[in-house]
Amino acid sequence: MAGPLEGLRVVDWTTGTAGPRAAGMLADHGADVVRIEPPAGDRYAGPLAAEYSVFNRNKRVLRLDLAAETARVEELLAGADVLVTSWSAGVAARFGLDPEAVRGRCPRLVTTTISGFGPGPRYADLVGHESIVHAVVGTMGEQHGFRGGPIYEGLPFAGIGAAYLAVIGTLAALHRRAEDGVGRAVETSLLDGALVYLSMLWAVDDISEGWVGGGVRRMINEPFRCADGEYLGVHTGAVGGFGRLMETLGLAEHFPPVPPPEAATALTPEQRRILAEDVPARFATRTRDEWMRALDEADVAAVPELRPGEVLDSPQARHNGLVVRVEDPGLGPVDQVGPPARFGLTPPAPPVAPTVVDDATWAGDAWVVPPTRPDPGRPLLAGVKVLDFGAYYAGPYASRLLADLGADVVKLEHPVGDQLRALDRPFGSAQANKRAVALNTKDAEAREYALRLAAWADVVQHNLRPQAAERMGMGYEDIRKVNPEVVYAYSPGWGSSGPWVARQSFAPLVSGYVGVNHEVAGRGNPPSYPAGNEDPGNGLLGATGMLMALLHRQRHGAGQLVEHPQLNSAMAHMAHVVRRADGTVLGAARLDAEQLGIGALDRLYANADGWICLSAVDHRLADLQRVLGVKILGDPRFETAVARAEHDDALAEVIGGVVAGRATAELVTALAEAGIAVVVPAPKNDAVFLRDEENRRNGRVGVSEHPRRGTVYELARLVRVDGAAPVTHRHAPLLGEHTDAVLATVGVPAAAVAGLRERRAAC
């Protein structure tokens, strides 16, 4: 089979990058995707040639005049399973292609919309450009920078997150359609896409002291410059990792041993000075390769900070099948990041370049849809059962995303508790809406009950280090013996095999390895950790992979192993970067050295009393020059898109020189009235956003009462689906909170559970 979605019929009617990326994920895994473009082609195919090549591979491209060829459009939609769009509501309604109208004519069709800001009146007048979304949500106040003020976000994770959320909602709607025959409207946005990455750190409650950053406790998580000018990312999150690093650096005498976890121990003023001054000085005495060998021997997590494109030569990336060669008609042969999820039974076919066709008809048999039996009172994934015995964040966040859509997710952990429980915010994000069972599977009886849960589940998920689950008796083959049709999702750090199989993996180390940290730092700067990293990314990838495998099982009755390593999810974040055969890297290094923007027309500008974020598209240039009183289109340096690119710094000086003398309020009003996307970038924004009543009403923020933390405000529903009941947000469960109730459902007597507790094999 050519992927788990073989034969799924999809119409991709999107523009930009988020929509094509979402439909591209479906195409990568076997869906028959017909992309509709205007007669002149996609206007972004030239400026974003690398993105266009990657996100539209495996698609047939049909160029249509929508106003004149409605019959062909209706014929396509009548035979399709999914329609993906990124129009504004007004444009869609004008052509009779809004979700309600389309499903009125095609009731089996799942319609998926990616907007800029989603529901609610607050952002209704804003254009959903990537930078505008990051400015609004507060990413520019979260991202680390090398100057004061807001920092332009160099990784487009609003669009990445929106694409994943759209696919997750689409797949869940298809899963439900296979039960009741009803097509549904799925909606998410770039704003939601940004929030899904910020979820790991955003929460407000009655007791939290706030997020504790680096340099305060015994934790190191940053890149260091070595003697050869190269950078090494280091993370001491493993048990004993901080002490082993200090020993290797020859600084152990300054850090007396403390009980675990080391990261809970505050630093003295002198220790803070040592971390700020002496540790970087020690790294500067040896080359990166020398430090890599020394830290490997000491079992300290460390990886090289690579530049964009270099990871394509990584032996582990190639072992994982992540490097594919595509013969692109415009770019020539290019190396691209391949599909990141690995399916044991249904691997995807090798990708091919997008193909322009004169006509498009659906080939093969349509997916079977049962008679219509609507039941809007159930959550979308009601009835799906998941057992997750992973830890930390990257694996468990995948099952949390399924729980948000109604799956019954049981978190299985050791009675001492997941180590991430020490950090309320990320633990709460990874484990919300789940039930918790605590069993020590080293105890034979407890392991028997854990296997009963595995037999109960549709999906079993974990992210333990390779062979750890097998030693527990919970590996894929162990689970298949009790549940032959199980979907078994595994998210190791680097992969279940390969040259780096035993290496430790922590976020955002892997982001550094794939080039993200150089991207967000700006051209020529030292690497910097990103505001959006591979931990939430791996959750998004895992949820996508599990749903694809569930859909395949629904159609064919066979489960399978799905592997989605953290390396794969991090490389998917850099899928917009490709490399030509001559080594030229395309799509990278767009952010300038001052971290102000990716061009004069998409950039942060300092003005008389603050900052603005401006994103002006070409057809608004006349309005821009009129409002600012500058000469753009009449200047030969800026007359064409090619000329503007060649003289970008000069254009930024022209615009910046005018903006610097004008007040924020007057400037924003004038530009917005002219139809130009502009906002004042929000500072660190978590408390304001989470306490906002509108965000509570639309479900983006969930509020719950925690027995220890009091009232908790957390990010909640980021995908909206009609015709299915939303899930009421619940905070992460207490340790062993549901052990008795969950085990009772698989036939374990209360007396047996009590016996386990007596010998500390359960909690």
Side-chain angles (χ1 to χ4, degrees), residues 266-287:
L267 298 170
T268 66
E270 174 60 12
Q271 289 171 338
R272 295 177 68 175
R273 185 202 64 78
I274 291 170
L275 261 59
E277 300 175 9
D278 296 354
V279 169
R282 295 293 170 94
F283 274 106
T285 63
R286 300 166 70 177
T287 68

Side-chain angles (χ1 to χ4, degrees), residues 603 605-607 628 630 650-662:
R603 190 180 190 272
Y605 285 98
N607 58 294
L628 296 182
V630 298
L651 181 55
E653 288 183 12
V654 169
I655 297 172
V658 174
V659 169
R662 296 177 66 169

Side-chain angles (χ1 to χ4, degrees), residues 339-356:
R342 305 176 69 185
F343 294 85
L345 186 63
T346 56
V352 296
T355 305
V356 178

Side-chain angles (χ1 to χ4, degrees), residues 12 14-24 35 55 59 84-86 114 159 163:
D12 170 13
T14 64
T15 188
T17 57
R21 183 191 283 263
R35 175 170 174 78
F55 303 148
K59 298 178 187 177
V84 186
T85 68
S86 57
I114 302 174

Side-chain angles (χ1 to χ4, degrees), residues 111 200 235 591:
T111 59
M200 183 167 67
H235 197 297
L591 180 61

